[in-house]
Amino acid sequence: MDLKEYFESHTGTGVLATADAQGNTDAALYSRPHFMEDGTIAFIMNDRLSHRNLQSNPRATYLFIQKGSPREGVRLYLARLREDGDPAVVETLRRHRKPDGDDADKKRFVVYFRIEKTRPLVDPGPGF
């Protein structure tokens, strides 16, 4: 499956799951990943729990539920590679902006990941 093409042609709901170094978990809604030319993916992250968890535990899972089908989608198993907190870099990737600019003062990061494994949203059964 070409993941970039898949995410460009499907809409749905995304959830990023992270855990801190002690195993305390978090799950948060996230938009579709940005596909970078070097083969990595990136998410724009606010300075919240998911971002903080990745500072002590670089592993995450992204689950995408395809719109219109509760059983169609994909799971991405991720390893954090690096991040960039430069507002100009964040701005180049933003897909949505609030018209009144009331979120301009939020600290955001572009966090880059390597995809380590992919799986369908629902396993097809034995032998997978």
Side-chain angles (χ1 to χ4, degrees):
M1 168 191 303
D2 181 324
L3 289 172
K4 181 178 181 183
E5 182 179 302
Y6 174 80
F7 282 105
E8 287 175 353
S9 62
H10 293 86
T11 59
T13 302
V15 177
L16 184 71
T18 61
D20 65 17
Q22 291 74 41
N24 300 304
T25 59
D26 178 56
L29 293 175
Y30 269 80
S31 63
R32 293 170 292 142
H34 297 273
F35 286 81
M36 312 311 290
E37 289 188 19
D38 66 359
T40 62
I41 64 169
F43 291 98
I44 296 174
M45 303 183 81
N46 289 321
D47 192 17
R48 293 189 168 164
L49 184 57
S50 296
H51 179 255
R52 287 191 300 272
N53 283 349
L54 288 166
Q55 305 311 299
S56 62
N57 179 351
R59 305 276 187 227
T61 301
Y62 178 75
L63 177 138
F64 183 79
I65 304 165
Q66 193 173 302
K67 185 175 182 178
S69 177
R71 299 180 58 83
E72 296 291 325
V74 64
R75 290 180 278 175
L76 307 178
Y77 295 83
L78 309 172
R80 178 188 172 276
L81 298 172
R82 65 188 182 283
E83 67 180 54
D84 193 328
D86 181 344
V89 174
V90 173
E91 197 60 29
T92 64
L93 292 180
R94 285 186 69 188
R95 293 184 183 117
H96 306 288
R97 289 164 183 79
K98 292 192 177 184
D100 58 7
D102 68 349
D103 65 347
D105 61 338
K106 289 184 181 179
K107 181 68 176 159
R108 291 185 177 84
F109 303 88
V110 177
V111 182
Y112 299 89
F113 295 89
R114 175 181 61 246
I115 299 173
E116 297 197 317
K117 181 169 74 169
T118 64
R119 293 177 65 194
L121 183 63
V122 178
D123 282 336
F128 178 75

